[in-house]
């Protein structure tokens, strides 16, 4: 019995020892886990603190560099400040490329000389050749009206197809006026001494179907005192197919200007460019019409219409002349200043970077567009 009791006591002692060891191990494991958890929490806090924070304006500051294995999208643009001082080799190369692109743009343009010897007017208007074959001033007496035709001379280096992509020319009027120009395939009929609501140029050959276009720009010279500016109307005459016939797209634009910057007094250039060769049967909005104005306006380039554009089949030199109607309701002599122009040609790939450049820096002044069947308006003055 004594031996049995002693064995039982030893077994109990061993069990107690094992339990104590297990308890000690558990305590050690618990301590280790607590330490690990604390370390993880510290690391998480440190990692969170290391993440760049976004301020109230949505800006984020990165203390170090940015490395990415994949692409980074920057739809809002990336601002890269340039260091002040002598240009680095890289910036010097970039400037050379920029200068080269500017030169390339010049290469793909050609002068259009104003044929002052062939300028014509109706009524009592007078022509002064300020610079022969370059500049002219047409004077219109008070209460008179006139129709001016100004032809251009330039390269005719096409055969059945042309690389013509646009045209710009110097033009200014000190009274209400309307400028009309035709380009692309098909004959054009010019009429004189009509009201400004009439069409000065219409498709020729009895309105026979063709793929050319006519642009008609009207300046009423009436200042909107409530809106502080001037309304400009553009009417585009075009045809997509012989079934629908000729259409007219009327675009109304508004150019902000004070009473010291009247329109069209401050118009300096009229510009037409199209971004690529247009389809003859689909209206793709590939053409654009801009006004460059002078004066104290913050913006001086205004897009006043989008146009269908023309194909390069039988486009020729593009716009070969403009026609201006002036009705002088002022008490003094009104004047139209006519100057030279510039033809633009497609660059490789049949694209016109001039269109994209103008579209990027210009102000869109278009407010409304409406298309209807063409109905001729022919009201003599």
């Amino acid at each position: 019995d004594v031996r049995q009791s002693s064995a039982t006591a030893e077994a109990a002692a061993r069990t107690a020892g094992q339990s104590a060891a297990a308890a000690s191990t558990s305590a050690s494991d618990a301590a280790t886990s607590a330490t690990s958890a604390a370390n993880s929490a510290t690391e998480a806090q440190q990692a969170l603190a290391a993440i760049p924070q976004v301020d109230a304006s949505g800006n984020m500051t990165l203390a170090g560099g940015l490395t990415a294995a994949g692409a980074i999208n920057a739809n809002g643009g990336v601002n890269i400040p340039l260091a002040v001082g002598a240009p680095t080799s890289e910036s010097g190369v970039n400037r050379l490329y920029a200068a080269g692109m500017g030169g390339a743009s010049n290469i793909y343009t050609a002068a259009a000389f104003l044929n002052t010897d062939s300028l014509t007017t109706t009524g009592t208007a007078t022509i002064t050749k300020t610079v022969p074959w370059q500049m002219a001033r047409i004077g219109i007496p008070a209460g008179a009206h006139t129709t001016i035709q100004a032809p251009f001379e330039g390269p005719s280096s096409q055969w059945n197809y042309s690389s013509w992509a646009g045209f710009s020319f110097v033009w200014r009027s000190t009274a209400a006026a309307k400028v009309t120009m035709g380009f692309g395939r098909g004959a054009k009929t010019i009429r004189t001494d009509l009201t400004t609501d009439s069409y000065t140029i219409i498709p020729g050959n009895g309105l026979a179907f063709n793929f050319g276009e006519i642009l008609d720009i009207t300046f009423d010279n009436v200042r909107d005192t409530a809106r502080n500016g001037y309304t400009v109307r553009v009417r585009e005459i075009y045809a997509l197919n012989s079934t629908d016939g000729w259409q007219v797209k009327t675009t109304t634009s508004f150019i902000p200007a004070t009473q010291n910057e009247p329109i069209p007094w401050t118009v300096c250039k009229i510009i037409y460019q199209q971004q690529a060769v247009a389809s003859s049967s689909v209206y793709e909005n590939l053409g654009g019409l801009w006004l460059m104005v002078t004066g104290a306006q913050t913006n001086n380039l205004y897009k006043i219409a989008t146009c269908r554009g023309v194909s390069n089949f039988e486009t020729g030199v593009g716009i070969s002349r403009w026609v201006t109607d002036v009705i002088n309701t002022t008490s003094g002599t009104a004047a139209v200043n006519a100057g030279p122009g510039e033809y633009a040609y497609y660059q490789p790939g049949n694209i016109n970077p001039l269109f994209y450049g103008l579209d990027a820096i210009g102000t869109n002044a278009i407010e409304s567009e409406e298309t209807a069947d063409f109905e001729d308006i022919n009201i003599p003055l």
Side-chain angles (χ1 to χ4, degrees):
D1 291 341
V2 172
R3 286 194 297 272
Q4 184 177 0
S5 296
S6 177
T8 302
E10 289 178 1
R14 284 196 298 273
T15 301
Q18 291 171 351
S19 297
S24 176
T25 301
S26 297
S28 177
D29 291 345
T32 301
S33 297
T35 301
S36 178
N39 291 339
S40 297
T42 301
E43 291 173 357
Q45 184 177 8
Q46 292 173 345
L48 182 62
I51 296 176
Q53 301 300 303
V54 177
D55 62 19
S57 300
N59 299 314
M60 177 184 290
T61 301
L62 298 176
L66 178 64
T67 303
I72 298 177
N73 294 320
N75 294 329
V78 177
N79 182 27
I80 304 175
L82 298 177
V84 178
T88 64
S89 58
E90 183 178 357
S91 64
V93 170
N94 288 340
R95 289 177 184 178
L96 285 174
Y97 273 122
M101 291 305 295
S105 295
N106 288 336
I107 288 294
Y108 283 92
T109 59
F113 300 98
L114 178 67
N115 190 339
T116 54
D117 289 345
S118 297
L119 269 171
T120 63
T121 62
T122 61
T124 56
T126 57
I127 300 173
T128 301
K129 302 176 187 178
T130 53
V131 182
W133 281 83
Q134 285 292 319
M135 300 289 296
R137 179 183 182 276
I138 298 92
I140 304 96
H145 60 81
T146 188
T147 298
I148 308 162
Q149 296 190 46
F152 292 93
E153 299 292 339
S156 183
S157 54
Q158 79 290 332
W159 193 241
N160 283 338
Y161 287 83
S162 168
S163 290
W164 178 82
F167 189 57
S168 63
F169 57 91
V170 174
W171 181 94
R172 172 179 179 262
S173 175
T174 63
K178 184 162 69 71
V179 183
T180 311
M181 47 197 172
F183 53 98
R185 292 182 60 186
K188 313 290 189 299
T189 299
I190 300 175
R191 291 129 27 135
T192 62
D193 297 315
L194 304 179
T195 63
T196 53
D197 284 334
S198 300
Y199 292 104
T200 300
I201 301 179
I202 63 171
N205 297 328
L207 301 179
F209 167 73
N210 220 310
F211 294 113
E213 290 208 38
I214 297 167
L215 297 179
D216 180 293
I217 313 167
T218 303
F219 304 95
D220 61 17
N221 199 29
V222 177
R223 182 169 174 267
D224 186 329
T225 56
R227 302 177 64 194
N228 203 22
Y230 295 83
T231 297
V232 177
R233 181 187 67 187
V234 176
R235 295 181 295 184
E236 175 193 12
I237 304 173
Y238 67 94
L240 297 179
N241 54 70
S242 57
T243 302
D244 295 334
W246 293 100
Q247 307 288 305
V248 176
K249 177 182 175 183
T250 301
T251 303
T252 302
S253 299
F254 184 79
I255 299 178
T258 69
Q259 57 187 354
N260 292 320
E261 301 155 348
I263 301 293
W265 283 55
T266 55
V267 173
C268 178
K269 278 187 176 182
I270 297 176
I271 307 162
Y272 172 84
Q273 299 289 334
Q274 56 184 68
Q275 64 187 94
V277 178
S279 167
S280 300
S281 57
V282 179
Y283 198 109
E284 298 178 290
N285 276 323
L286 293 181
L289 188 63
W290 286 267
L291 294 179
M292 192 182 97
V293 299
T294 58
Q297 290 96 326
T298 302
N299 302 312
N300 64 354
L301 182 66
Y302 291 94
K303 189 174 189 177
I304 58 172
T306 60
C307 311
R308 183 196 66 182
V310 292
S311 73
N312 59 6
F313 178 56
E314 292 187 6
T315 305
V317 297
I319 298 169
S320 60
R321 70 177 59 226
W322 54 250
V323 182
T324 293
D325 295 286
V326 181
I327 303 174
N328 184 9
T329 58
T330 69
S331 58
T333 299
V336 171
N337 297 102
E342 192 172 59
Y343 298 107
Y345 299 94
Y346 290 118
Q347 295 190 18
N350 276 336
I351 61 171
N352 180 12
L354 294 179
F355 176 94
Y356 294 98
L358 292 172
D359 216 32
I361 66 174
T363 299
N364 191 342
I366 298 172
E367 292 192 325
S368 66
E369 297 175 325
E370 182 180 354
T371 301
D373 292 337
F374 172 76
E375 293 184 10
D376 190 16
I377 304 174
N378 183 1
I379 305 173
L381 288 165

